Amino acid sequence: QVQLQQSGPGLVKPSQTLSLTCVISGDSVSSNSVAWNWIRQSPSRGPEWLGRAYYRSKWYNDYAVSVRSRITINPDTSKNQLSLQLNSVTPEDTAVYYCARYLPGPKVFDYWGQGTLVTVSS
Amino acid sequence: DIQMTQSPSSLSASVGDRVTITCRASQSISSYLNWYQQKPGRAPKVVIDTASSLQSGVPSRFSGSGSGTDFTLTINSLQPEDFATYYCQQGNSLPLTFGQGTKLEIK
């Protein structure tokens, strides 16, 4: 059974960096048959895909244009986890952040972390 | 980006009713359309993938159909645990995008 356990601060000041971690159990961050994603959801809105990391003989990343200049998603193979860094945050980055596994075949997010509410405020 | 538009945005129904939620893509996405159920304070949970494939463990009263740009999620004989918000999501191309959601409420 795949489980994704998220951790990280719930409050970040404007202009600072949002950092979250997603520990993966029941699968490998280096699996060559899935992709590992970060998704966020603002209050009363649909989810917004932020980006992903995946391994296919080497590591690849894809990012949403809306955050491309500020985001980094990195795997940590020694700890079997995925990280998210979002720089220069503003109050508009306030949201619940999720990590999620993506299956390329059906193109579906089949496992999700529990979610972390991050508030950007001074 | 492919825009996903759901209708209605909210829906009131009673236990035992049949309901249909629609999702329209701004361009063809073949059958790469998934449906998620989300309850308050919880992560979304996939109920249907590739337009019509029922996820393991999801009751058979859920069904999905469509291809191209128009898709539907149907729930027959609503049960109390089905009242939630439902989202569609396209997997045809990056960026992966979701609909704005349909909140299914008890009448």
Side-chain angles (χ1 to χ4, degrees):
Chain A
Q1 177 77 351
V2 176
Q3 292 187 327
L4 307 178
Q5 182 66 39
Q6 299 176 216
S7 62
L11 180 64
V12 181
K13 292 183 180 347
S15 80
Q16 295 194 342
T17 297
L18 180 161
S19 297
L20 297 176
T21 298
C22 174
V23 176
I24 300 161
S25 57
D27 199 348
S28 170
V29 72
S30 303
S31 169
N32 59 11
S33 58
V34 302
W36 301 98
N37 298 256
W38 287 99
I39 295 163
R40 69 182 178 185
Q41 187 171 25
S42 303
S44 303
R45 292 184 63 179
E48 176 190 11
W49 175 79
L50 298 177
R52 66 186 183 183
Y54 58 98
Y55 186 76
R56 302 289 186 270
S57 302
K58 68 175 186 177
W59 286 101
Y60 294 87
N61 288 102
D62 294 305
Y63 297 126
V65 170
S66 61
V67 295
R68 183 170 293 163
S69 63
R70 301 190 291 131
I71 191 173
T72 304
I73 295 176
N74 278 329
D76 182 336
T77 57
S78 67
K79 297 179 179 179
N80 203 35
Q81 66 187 32
L82 187 75
S83 67
L84 167 69
Q85 287 196 311
L86 188 64
N87 302 324
S88 305
V89 297
T90 72
E92 286 65 46
D93 295 309
T94 294
V96 176
Y97 286 75
Y98 295 98
C99 58
R101 189 179 82 162
Y102 180 80
L103 295 181
K107 301 180 186 293
V108 67
F109 299 105
D110 64 339
Y111 287 99
W112 296 64
Q114 80 276 21
T116 302
L117 173 60
V118 179
T119 302
V120 179
S121 174
S122 55
Chain B
D1 298 5
I2 297 176
Q3 308 303 316
M4 306 301 294
T5 304
Q6 289 181 234
S7 61
S9 56
S10 63
L11 179 58
S12 293
S14 301
V15 173
D17 284 354
R18 178 188 187 204
V19 298
T20 297
I21 300 169
T22 65
C23 179
R24 175 164 288 175
S26 59
Q27 63 190 75
S28 178
I29 58 171
S30 184
S31 294
Y32 295 118
L33 188 284
N34 307 308
W35 290 98
Y36 299 83
Q37 176 192 71
Q38 186 176 33
K39 296 182 178 179
R42 306 293 297 272
K45 168 192 166 186
V46 58
V47 292
I48 299 279
D49 72 64
T50 51
S52 60
S53 180
L54 192 66
Q55 282 284 295
S56 174
V58 175
S60 59
R61 61 182 178 270
F62 288 84
S63 63
S65 65
S67 66
T69 60
D70 295 304
F71 301 85
T72 61
L73 172 69
T74 299
I75 312 172
N76 288 302
S77 188
L78 275 170
Q79 297 301 301
E81 61 267 28
D82 300 337
F83 292 94
T85 300
Y86 291 85
Y87 294 97
C88 60
Q89 171 253 321
Q90 66 83 16
N92 187 70
S93 62
L94 295 183
L96 304 170
T97 49
F98 293 79
Q100 82 281 11
T102 296
K103 187 173 184 179
L104 178 56
E105 299 175 301
I106 300 176
K107 185 183 289 183

Short mmCIF file of all heavy atoms in Angstrom, two decimals, chain B residues 62-91:
data_model
loop_
_atom_site.label_atom_id
_atom_site.label_comp_id
_atom_site.label_asym_id
_atom_site.label_seq_id
_atom_site.Cartn_x
_atom_site.Cartn_y
_atom_site.Cartn_z
N PHE B 62 -21.44 4.31 -9.31
CA PHE B 62 -20.70 5.35 -10.02
C PHE B 62 -20.39 4.86 -11.44
O PHE B 62 -19.95 3.72 -11.62
CB PHE B 62 -19.38 5.67 -9.32
CG PHE B 62 -19.53 6.41 -8.03
CD1 PHE B 62 -19.78 5.74 -6.86
CD2 PHE B 62 -19.39 7.80 -7.99
CE1 PHE B 62 -19.92 6.42 -5.65
CE2 PHE B 62 -19.52 8.49 -6.80
CZ PHE B 62 -19.79 7.79 -5.62
N SER B 63 -20.60 5.73 -12.41
CA SER B 63 -20.21 5.39 -13.77
C SER B 63 -19.81 6.67 -14.51
O SER B 63 -20.25 7.77 -14.16
CB SER B 63 -21.34 4.68 -14.51
OG SER B 63 -22.45 5.53 -14.65
N GLY B 64 -18.96 6.50 -15.51
CA GLY B 64 -18.50 7.62 -16.31
C GLY B 64 -18.60 7.30 -17.78
O GLY B 64 -18.54 6.13 -18.19
N SER B 65 -18.76 8.34 -18.59
CA SER B 65 -18.83 8.15 -20.03
C SER B 65 -18.30 9.39 -20.73
O SER B 65 -18.11 10.45 -20.10
CB SER B 65 -20.26 7.85 -20.48
OG SER B 65 -21.09 8.97 -20.24
N GLY B 66 -18.08 9.23 -22.02
CA GLY B 66 -17.66 10.36 -22.85
C GLY B 66 -16.31 10.14 -23.48
O GLY B 66 -15.56 9.23 -23.11
N SER B 67 -16.02 11.00 -24.45
CA SER B 67 -14.71 11.03 -25.09
C SER B 67 -14.62 12.32 -25.88
O SER B 67 -15.65 12.95 -26.18
CB SER B 67 -14.49 9.82 -25.99
OG SER B 67 -15.36 9.86 -27.09
N GLY B 68 -13.39 12.69 -26.22
CA GLY B 68 -13.23 13.94 -26.96
C GLY B 68 -13.28 15.14 -26.04
O GLY B 68 -12.31 15.42 -25.33
N THR B 69 -14.40 15.83 -26.02
CA THR B 69 -14.52 17.03 -25.19
C THR B 69 -15.63 16.97 -24.14
O THR B 69 -15.65 17.80 -23.24
CB THR B 69 -14.77 18.28 -26.05
OG1 THR B 69 -15.99 18.10 -26.77
CG2 THR B 69 -13.62 18.53 -27.03
N ASP B 70 -16.54 16.02 -24.24
CA ASP B 70 -17.70 16.00 -23.35
C ASP B 70 -17.77 14.70 -22.56
O ASP B 70 -17.75 13.61 -23.15
CB ASP B 70 -18.99 16.21 -24.14
CG ASP B 70 -19.05 17.60 -24.76
OD1 ASP B 70 -18.92 18.57 -24.01
OD2 ASP B 70 -19.21 17.69 -25.98
N PHE B 71 -17.90 14.87 -21.25
CA PHE B 71 -17.85 13.72 -20.34
C PHE B 71 -18.93 13.87 -19.26
O PHE B 71 -19.34 14.99 -18.93
CB PHE B 71 -16.48 13.65 -19.66
CG PHE B 71 -15.34 13.52 -20.64
CD1 PHE B 71 -14.78 14.65 -21.23
CD2 PHE B 71 -14.84 12.27 -20.99
CE1 PHE B 71 -13.76 14.54 -22.15
CE2 PHE B 71 -13.81 12.15 -21.90
CZ PHE B 71 -13.27 13.28 -22.48
N THR B 72 -19.36 12.72 -18.74
CA THR B 72 -20.33 12.75 -17.65
C THR B 72 -19.95 11.76 -16.56
O THR B 72 -19.36 10.70 -16.84
CB THR B 72 -21.75 12.42 -18.15
OG1 THR B 72 -21.75 11.10 -18.70
CG2 THR B 72 -22.23 13.42 -19.18
N LEU B 73 -20.27 12.14 -15.35
CA LEU B 73 -20.20 11.26 -14.18
C LEU B 73 -21.63 11.08 -13.69
O LEU B 73 -22.33 12.07 -13.46
CB LEU B 73 -19.34 11.87 -13.08
CG LEU B 73 -19.34 11.13 -11.73
CD1 LEU B 73 -18.62 9.78 -11.85
CD2 LEU B 73 -18.70 11.99 -10.66
N THR B 74 -22.04 9.84 -13.56
CA THR B 74 -23.39 9.54 -13.08
C THR B 74 -23.30 8.74 -11.79
O THR B 74 -22.49 7.81 -11.70
CB THR B 74 -24.19 8.75 -14.13
OG1 THR B 74 -24.32 9.54 -15.32
CG2 THR B 74 -25.59 8.41 -13.61
N ILE B 75 -24.10 9.12 -10.83
CA ILE B 75 -24.20 8.36 -9.58
C ILE B 75 -25.66 7.92 -9.45
O ILE B 75 -26.56 8.76 -9.39
CB ILE B 75 -23.80 9.19 -8.35
CG1 ILE B 75 -22.48 9.92 -8.59
CG2 ILE B 75 -23.69 8.28 -7.12
CD1 ILE B 75 -22.11 10.91 -7.49
N ASN B 76 -25.87 6.61 -9.46
CA ASN B 76 -27.21 6.06 -9.29
C ASN B 76 -27.48 5.81 -7.81
O ASN B 76 -26.56 5.47 -7.06
CB ASN B 76 -27.34 4.75 -10.05
CG ASN B 76 -27.38 4.96 -11.55
OD1 ASN B 76 -28.24 5.68 -12.07
ND2 ASN B 76 -26.44 4.37 -12.27
N SER B 77 -28.71 5.99 -7.41
CA SER B 77 -29.14 5.69 -6.06
C SER B 77 -28.17 6.27 -5.03
O SER B 77 -27.47 5.53 -4.32
CB SER B 77 -29.27 4.17 -5.88
OG SER B 77 -29.84 3.86 -4.63
N LEU B 78 -28.14 7.59 -4.96
CA LEU B 78 -27.24 8.30 -4.06
C LEU B 78 -27.32 7.77 -2.63
O LEU B 78 -28.40 7.52 -2.09
CB LEU B 78 -27.58 9.79 -4.03
CG LEU B 78 -26.98 10.68 -5.11
CD1 LEU B 78 -27.62 12.06 -5.05
CD2 LEU B 78 -25.47 10.78 -4.96
N GLN B 79 -26.13 7.62 -2.05
CA GLN B 79 -26.02 7.22 -0.65
C GLN B 79 -25.47 8.40 0.16
O GLN B 79 -24.82 9.30 -0.39
CB GLN B 79 -25.11 6.00 -0.53
CG GLN B 79 -25.65 4.78 -1.25
CD GLN B 79 -27.01 4.37 -0.72
OE1 GLN B 79 -27.17 4.07 0.46
NE2 GLN B 79 -28.00 4.36 -1.62
N PRO B 80 -25.69 8.39 1.46
CA PRO B 80 -25.24 9.53 2.29
C PRO B 80 -23.74 9.82 2.13
O PRO B 80 -23.34 10.99 2.16
CB PRO B 80 -25.57 9.07 3.71
CG PRO B 80 -26.72 8.13 3.56
CD PRO B 80 -26.47 7.41 2.25
N GLU B 81 -22.94 8.80 1.93
CA GLU B 81 -21.49 9.00 1.83
C GLU B 81 -21.05 9.58 0.48
O GLU B 81 -19.89 9.92 0.30
CB GLU B 81 -20.75 7.68 2.08
CG GLU B 81 -21.07 6.56 1.11
CD GLU B 81 -22.20 5.66 1.59
OE1 GLU B 81 -23.07 6.14 2.36
OE2 GLU B 81 -22.20 4.48 1.18
N ASP B 82 -21.99 9.73 -0.46
CA ASP B 82 -21.65 10.27 -1.77
C ASP B 82 -21.68 11.80 -1.80
O ASP B 82 -21.23 12.41 -2.78
CB ASP B 82 -22.63 9.76 -2.83
CG ASP B 82 -22.61 8.24 -2.96
OD1 ASP B 82 -21.58 7.62 -2.59
OD2 ASP B 82 -23.62 7.67 -3.41
N PHE B 83 -22.21 12.41 -0.75
CA PHE B 83 -22.31 13.87 -0.75
C PHE B 83 -20.92 14.45 -0.49
O PHE B 83 -20.31 14.24 0.57
CB PHE B 83 -23.36 14.34 0.25
CG PHE B 83 -24.74 13.95 -0.19
CD1 PHE B 83 -25.32 12.77 0.26
CD2 PHE B 83 -25.46 14.74 -1.08
CE1 PHE B 83 -26.59 12.38 -0.17
CE2 PHE B 83 -26.72 14.38 -1.50
CZ PHE B 83 -27.29 13.19 -1.06
N ALA B 84 -20.41 15.14 -1.50
CA ALA B 84 -19.02 15.59 -1.54
C ALA B 84 -18.88 16.54 -2.72
O ALA B 84 -19.86 16.85 -3.40
CB ALA B 84 -18.09 14.38 -1.70
N THR B 85 -17.65 16.97 -2.96
CA THR B 85 -17.36 17.76 -4.15
C THR B 85 -16.63 16.87 -5.15
O THR B 85 -15.75 16.09 -4.77
CB THR B 85 -16.50 18.99 -3.81
OG1 THR B 85 -17.22 19.81 -2.87
CG2 THR B 85 -16.21 19.81 -5.05
N TYR B 86 -17.03 16.99 -6.41
CA TYR B 86 -16.46 16.16 -7.47
C TYR B 86 -15.70 17.04 -8.47
O TYR B 86 -16.19 18.11 -8.86
CB TYR B 86 -17.55 15.37 -8.18
CG TYR B 86 -18.15 14.32 -7.27
CD1 TYR B 86 -19.18 14.64 -6.37
CD2 TYR B 86 -17.65 13.02 -7.26
CE1 TYR B 86 -19.69 13.69 -5.50
CE2 TYR B 86 -18.15 12.06 -6.39
CZ TYR B 86 -19.17 12.41 -5.51
OH TYR B 86 -19.66 11.46 -4.64
N TYR B 87 -14.52 16.56 -8.86
CA TYR B 87 -13.68 17.29 -9.81
C TYR B 87 -13.34 16.38 -10.98
O TYR B 87 -13.09 15.19 -10.80
CB TYR B 87 -12.36 17.71 -9.16
CG TYR B 87 -12.49 18.72 -8.05
CD1 TYR B 87 -12.51 18.31 -6.72
CD2 TYR B 87 -12.58 20.08 -8.33
CE1 TYR B 87 -12.63 19.23 -5.69
CE2 TYR B 87 -12.70 21.02 -7.31
CZ TYR B 87 -12.72 20.58 -5.99
OH TYR B 87 -12.85 21.50 -4.98
N CYS B 88 -13.31 16.97 -12.17
CA CYS B 88 -12.76 16.26 -13.31
C CYS B 88 -11.33 16.76 -13.53
O CYS B 88 -10.95 17.86 -13.07
CB CYS B 88 -13.60 16.46 -14.57
SG CYS B 88 -13.81 18.16 -15.13
N GLN B 89 -10.53 15.95 -14.19
CA GLN B 89 -9.12 16.28 -14.45
C GLN B 89 -8.71 15.66 -15.78
O GLN B 89 -9.00 14.49 -16.02
CB GLN B 89 -8.23 15.75 -13.33
CG GLN B 89 -6.73 15.85 -13.57
CD GLN B 89 -6.08 14.51 -13.86
OE1 GLN B 89 -6.41 13.50 -13.26
NE2 GLN B 89 -5.13 14.49 -14.79
N GLN B 90 -8.04 16.45 -16.62
CA GLN B 90 -7.58 15.91 -17.90
C GLN B 90 -6.11 15.53 -17.81
O GLN B 90 -5.31 16.23 -17.17
CB GLN B 90 -7.85 16.90 -19.04
CG GLN B 90 -7.06 18.20 -18.99
CD GLN B 90 -5.65 18.11 -19.56
OE1 GLN B 90 -5.31 17.17 -20.28
NE2 GLN B 90 -4.80 19.09 -19.23
N GLY B 91 -5.79 14.41 -18.45
CA GLY B 91 -4.41 13.94 -18.47
C GLY B 91 -3.82 13.92 -19.87
O GLY B 91 -2.76 13.34 -20.09
#
